[in-house]
Amino acid sequence: MRHFRLLVVGNGVSAYGSYLNMVALNVFIYEVTDSALAAGLFMAVRLMTSVVSGWASGRLVSVYDRKRLMVGADLTQGAAMVALLVAPDGARAGLLYILAVVTGFCSTLSGVALRSSIPEIVGGDLRLRANALLATGRSLAMIAGFASAGVLVAQLGYTAAIALDAVTFAVSASVLFSLPIRTNARRRAEAAEKDAGAGAAADGAEEREQGPSTSSLMLLRAAPVLAVMIVVRAADGLGSSSHNVALPVYSSGLDPSHPATFISQFWATWAIGNIVAQQICSRFAGRGRWQGPGERAFAIGSCVMSAAFIVVFTGLPTVAAIAAALVAGMADGLTETAYVTRLQAAPDEQRGRLFGLSASVENTGFGLGMLVSGALLDRYSPLHVVGLLHGVAIVLCAALFVVLVRQGRNAASEVSAPPAPPAPPAPPAERAEKETR
């Protein structure tokens, strides 16, 4: 955990630069292109790249060393930022979309590699505490990034913000490279054993011929509850996009002169709630028989999270709405921990592909939700749009909870059922006949 805490610091520094850059790049794109459509297209390209790269990332982290992949992803993103800064003015517009592809692919690859590596880095028993610590670091980075973005861009300009982002990627890569951690030691040991055998080449050829999600799909067929959890995460992405799109519209209606006030309060409170939930999970991890929030907690937490987001848009006083945002953040932190910890219980050779599949599914849900929410907000209120899309997630979560309860009852009835009585002994004549035969 000592080495992992240093990794969390490096990852948090990189996350800070990414959140800072969300503001800086929007300003930069609009200044270079003078077009709001270009800014929207940049985000669309980045999101589509994240969807596609989830499948490829799952394949890569199952074959190659995950630590090297994470270091390479950070260095590539940092180099892309530097290239954007030093490029001539006429070439920057085209480089923006290359930057969208690079950052979309590398961020997805780094996230899949890190999450799938945690059981190897800290051990299976400490993965819950490690997940909570990692999520806390990213939440703190989000608060710091969004809080300082406006001041930094206003005082120093977008160039300084982009340069700072490049530095944060270099810091993250340096920390990762210097730490003596193993991210997929089991895969390397198995590979060494295969190399010593005569059939190593044939086994490698068979592995390359398999599709990028063969192992993960086979695991999902064997574990249908896990498959439903991934579908629920896609629905959560659908709902999350709705409140992301509707929040500026709703905030402008509350205070047209200062629309950013409620948005800042909302996200800061949400992040605080997320941190609180992660810290609670971390402190109780391993105490007694509790090994972290399970599948039922995931289903209940997802319902509470979606319901709280809907409440935020009901027109309540600011204090009550912010309290609902706090509940949403806590529920989001609980479900994130439960979901990631559950996926990490899969075998190492399947874990990377599962996280890659999950990244693609979640980004697909989020991207689809962005399109649907944007179209619906032209005709309906933010409450109706958020209620509709988050309502879909609530229905799926309720169905998952019912399935889990029924499975628990069936398992309990099987355990409590009395054993079948032994068969009566055969009559003497029949026994004699069998012995003679």
Side-chain angles (χ1 to χ4, degrees), residues 115-116 118-119 127 131 340-346 351 355:
R115 287 183 169 186
S116 60
I118 286 178
R127 69 181 191 274
N131 290 329
V340 172
T341 305
R342 176 62 184 84
L343 261 62
Q344 288 170 347
R351 195 184 307 133
F355 275 104

Side-chain angles (χ1 to χ4, degrees), residues 28-29 32-33 38 42 84 87-98:
F28 182 76
I29 293 169
V32 171
T33 63
F42 174 86
L84 181 66
D89 293 339
R92 285 182 173 177
L95 282 177
L96 285 171
Y97 300 105
I98 298 177

